[in-house]
Amino acid sequence: MTQTQDITHILNTCRTVAVVGLSPKAHRDSHEVSAYMQAHGWRIIPVNPAAQVATILGEKVYPSLIEAAKHEKIDLVDVFRNSDDVPPVADEAIAIGAKGLWLQLGIEHGQAATKARAAGLAVVQNKCLLIEHRRQAH
């Protein structure tokens, strides 16, 4: 599938998204995007081992995707981390059986994307989930 097809597939089939790097700070992009998706009926699963809070946007914060997947069924993994941090996140997304891996604006990792695609995940790189959701909604 092309990235455009992957975007459409994700937006049409995913409703539970683990947000890796979700900040509790409302001014951060990760928080804004997650709040927007939540307001549009998506379930947000915060994943942030450094978070000093128990919940973000009313949802329990997990230290890793693997831990979150023990308690939640995750469709999509949305990444707000540096590109260099993507490979282990992609490996965890594959391990938990996620349908998709979404790397936000400015985040790309060719090897990790190729590996995730080979494992059957829809993969989007260097795109904003909020922007693409808005684009599809109109």
Side-chain angles (χ1 to χ4, degrees), residues 52-82:
Q52 300 293 312
V53 295
T55 62
I56 301 174
L57 295 168
E59 294 284 354
K60 178 177 174 24
V61 179
Y62 292 95
S64 71
L65 276 174
I66 299 295
E67 190 60 34
K70 291 177 184 175
H71 307 278
E72 310 287 350
K73 174 75 177 110
I74 296 166
D75 298 329
L76 177 64
V77 176
D78 187 15
V79 182
F80 284 90
R81 299 286 310 272
N82 293 324

Side-chain angles (χ1 to χ4, degrees), residues 35-58:
Y36 169 89
M37 296 310 291
Q38 194 177 51
H40 285 83
W42 287 52
R43 173 92 191 281
I44 302 299
I45 310 296
V47 177
N48 187 336
Q52 300 293 312
V53 295
T55 62
I56 301 174
L57 295 168

